[in-house]
Amino acid sequence: KDPTDDPTKVKESTAMTVILSSNDSIYYYFGITDPKVEVTNFSKDGIRKVLLEKNAAQVQQINLLKVKLNKKEITKDEYRKKVSEVKADKDALMVLIKADDTSKYKNLVDILDEMSITNIGRYAIVDLTPEEIELIKTIGTPQAIIN
């Protein structure tokens, strides 16, 4: 099911689609219409860097909450509640995770780890659309980024 058809519509300005593919490669794009597809991987300068940059405001808010927690200005319960609120913010990044038939299960586990590491609370695992399958085929497997 296409998330853009869902009544809990994803705002185009907050949407990021991540497509897991063969050889640990990751295709990604922002928005919903007219995607400008880029390619990365799971290296240190790969998808984590992209996610941290796009989720910088939430990461900063959570880091400030950690400081307050460490200074004992807020309790652990208050910290958890406030972190959940930051992650659930409707203006925060919403990542749509998709996998093609050539990706490995390990890649899905790895991208879910990245959601946690980069403090992304809004994500969903959804099916690839036929248009996205064609889009990936036209780009091809990027040998240059595969280590």
Side-chain angles (χ1 to χ4, degrees), residues 18-44:
V18 171
I19 302 169
L20 308 173
S21 193
S22 61
N23 300 318
D24 299 333
S25 58
I26 303 167
Y27 298 87
Y28 68 94
Y29 61 89
F30 300 99
I32 297 166
T33 55
D34 192 30
K36 306 269 184 284
V37 180
E38 296 188 54
V39 187
T40 190
N41 56 24
F42 287 100
S43 71
K44 71 176 177 65

Side-chain angles (χ1 to χ4, degrees), residues 53 58 82 145:
E53 286 171 2
Q58 280 68 29
K82 289 180 185 290
I145 63 144

Side-chain angles (χ1 to χ4, degrees), residues 48-101:
R48 184 176 303 170
K49 185 175 179 184
V50 175
L51 293 169
L52 284 170
E53 286 171 2
K54 286 303 280 187
N55 204 41
Q58 280 68 29
V59 170
Q60 185 178 14
Q61 288 175 22
I62 291 169
N63 287 340
L64 291 172
L65 290 170
K66 279 182 193 165
V67 169
K68 287 184 174 185
L69 176 66
N70 292 336
K71 289 182 174 178
K72 305 218 183 309
E73 293 174 11
I74 57 174
T75 66
K76 271 192 174 158
D77 285 345
E78 288 172 312
Y79 171 78
R80 281 191 207 105
K81 182 177 184 284
K82 289 180 185 290
V83 166
S84 291
E85 289 169 4
V86 169
K87 287 182 173 186
D89 183 343
K90 66 179 175 43
D91 292 324
L93 187 64
M94 172 64 188
V95 181
L96 304 173
I97 301 168
K98 304 178 180 197
D100 72 14
D101 293 339

Side-chain angles (χ1 to χ4, degrees), residues 10 39 64 113 133 141 147:
V10 176
V39 187
L64 291 172
D113 285 346
I133 293 168
T141 305
N147 300 337

